[in-house]
Amino acid sequence: MNFAILIPARSNSTRLRQKHLRIVNGKSILNHLVLRLLNSGVINSKKKIILCTTENKIDNELIFHAKKIGINFTTGRENDMIGRFYNTALKNNLDYIIRVDGDDVYTDPNLLDRGFKKILSFKKKVDYLEFKKIYLGLAPKFFTNKAIIKINKCIIKDNHSTGFGYYFSKTDLLKKFFINYNSEKKKKLIYFSLDFSSDLNIFQEVLDYYGNKFYNLSSENLINFFENHKKIQNLFEKNSQNRSNYYSKTNKILLKFRNKRGEVINIKC
């Protein structure tokens, strides 16, 4: 059984350019994320972590940095994130893929272990697994090689650089399983991803408070810290409109598939 963490990342983001290379407390965002992932019980080597970036020249620096911190990398077309995942899975003969977005620096290694062990228990009878009722950016997503092969075959190639995850979670092509992280309603409008410059300030607050303890910090601790930290709440409120506009736009993408008869199927998100 072969698996890897795939980190989709590109430098040409319209919101926060080259965010994965931004330095906070002497380390890049990508390095902070890798150090956090290495606290997982199922990840025993940096070589199990693969940066999935683009062929664009602007990402050469990102590739160089991946080599420097000791993780693998693959490249592909910027607008075809699913194709990048597909080619990476085939090249590395992966049976299972753990997806962790490059701006999800708070990803909980404990949830990584929990989710991966759960999808393994299904013995490939489940194609895709995701945590529900959890703040954005805390939990990885999990799928089999069969899932990426099936999706890559059925989608109509378009711009999949943003919102490509919906092709897995919103389609009936896959057998899916969802874990409810929490039965309670989310209390506040907070996110655990780096989308805007103010998010770097929030991350700085977290590192200033926790130091190296951050790398093994549970999602429960992070949620409590975010929900009760007045300065962080103020930063979220100042940027709430920009963030709301962005996610509203992302959630309205149109998914385009072909069924077995070659007919086009559109799914609105």
Side-chain angles (χ1 to χ4, degrees):
M1 185 270 294
N2 194 18
F3 71 94
I5 297 174
L6 302 192
I7 301 178
R10 59 193 175 106
S11 301
N12 203 21
S13 172
T14 56
R15 288 163 287 135
L16 189 57
R17 287 173 65 86
Q18 295 188 301
K19 57 186 170 183
H20 313 94
L21 295 174
R22 300 293 182 102
I23 302 298
V24 182
N25 280 24
K27 297 183 181 69
S28 71
I29 294 301
L30 181 61
N31 199 1
H32 282 297
L33 174 58
V34 168
L35 291 173
R36 190 152 163 80
L37 295 175
L38 288 173
N39 276 280
S40 158
V42 301
I43 304 300
N44 55 16
S45 169
K46 287 184 178 180
K47 298 303 179 183
K48 285 290 185 182
I49 304 174
I50 304 174
L51 172 74
C52 289
T53 190
T54 82
E55 300 167 333
N56 297 344
K57 287 184 179 180
I58 193 173
D59 284 318
N60 287 346
E61 188 177 355
L62 191 54
I63 291 169
F64 176 81
H65 188 62
K67 293 178 181 179
K68 183 179 179 181
I69 63 177
I71 65 173
N72 288 320
F73 71 92
T74 58
T75 62
R77 291 175 52 239
E78 179 178 7
N79 292 337
D80 187 12
M81 186 63 253
I82 292 174
R84 279 189 264 160
F85 268 44
Y86 172 79
N87 291 329
T88 302
L90 261 61
K91 179 180 178 181
N92 292 275
N93 195 29
L94 299 180
D95 299 301
Y96 291 90
I97 294 99
I98 304 169
R99 170 195 158 193
V100 176
D101 290 345
D103 52 8
D104 287 350
V105 71
Y106 300 99
T107 298
D108 188 344
N110 302 307
L111 293 182
L112 190 157
D113 292 346
R114 179 182 168 190
F116 188 58
K117 289 175 183 176
K118 187 66 178 177
I119 196 169
L120 285 181
S121 72
F122 291 115
K123 302 184 186 301
K124 291 204 172 182
K125 293 179 181 178
V126 167
D127 304 309
Y128 177 82
L129 184 145
E130 179 180 320
F131 284 87
K132 289 289 189 181
K133 296 185 179 180
I134 187 169
Y135 287 117
L136 179 70
L138 284 174
K141 297 176 175 61
F142 310 82
F143 47 92
T144 64
N145 58 348
K146 185 174 78 171
I148 189 67
I149 291 170
K150 190 179 293 187
I151 294 296
N152 190 66
K153 180 181 178 180
C154 295
I155 62 173
I156 296 174
K157 295 293 183 177
D158 201 349
N159 186 344
H160 306 133
S161 59
T162 299
F164 73 94
Y166 289 128
Y167 281 88
F168 295 86
S169 61
K170 299 291 186 180
T171 175
D172 292 330
L173 291 171
L174 305 178
K175 294 178 181 177
K176 301 183 288 288
F177 185 86
F178 297 100
I179 299 174
N180 283 331
Y181 174 82
N182 198 330
S183 59
E184 297 180 2
K185 187 177 180 180
K186 296 174 187 176
K187 297 178 181 179
K188 297 185 179 181
L189 185 65
I190 58 177
Y191 300 87
F192 291 86
S193 60
L194 305 182
D195 295 315
F196 303 96
S197 58
S198 60
D199 296 326
L200 295 175
N201 297 330
I202 291 172
F203 186 50
Q204 181 70 67
E205 287 291 320
V206 174
L207 290 181
D208 286 347
Y209 187 85
Y210 286 106
N212 288 333
K213 292 180 180 178
F214 163 75
Y215 299 116
N216 198 31
L217 204 62
S218 71
S219 48
E220 290 87 355
N221 289 134
L222 283 167
I223 290 170
N224 184 64
F225 186 74
F226 272 50
E227 288 182 342
N228 295 286
H229 195 294
K230 184 171 288 188
K231 185 175 180 180
I232 287 178
Q233 285 298 310
N234 289 337
L235 287 169
F236 272 114
E237 288 174 9
K238 288 179 181 178
N239 209 30
S240 61
Q241 191 58 54
N242 287 337
R243 194 180 292 273
S244 178
N245 290 340
Y246 169 72
Y247 284 108
S248 176
K249 182 180 178 180
T250 301
N251 291 339
K252 291 180 180 179
I253 65 173
L254 187 67
L255 311 183
K256 301 176 183 179
F257 297 90
R258 288 192 188 277
N259 61 20
K260 293 181 179 179
R261 295 186 295 273
E263 299 166 334
V264 176
I265 302 171
N266 294 329
I267 302 175
K268 290 182 178 180
C269 288

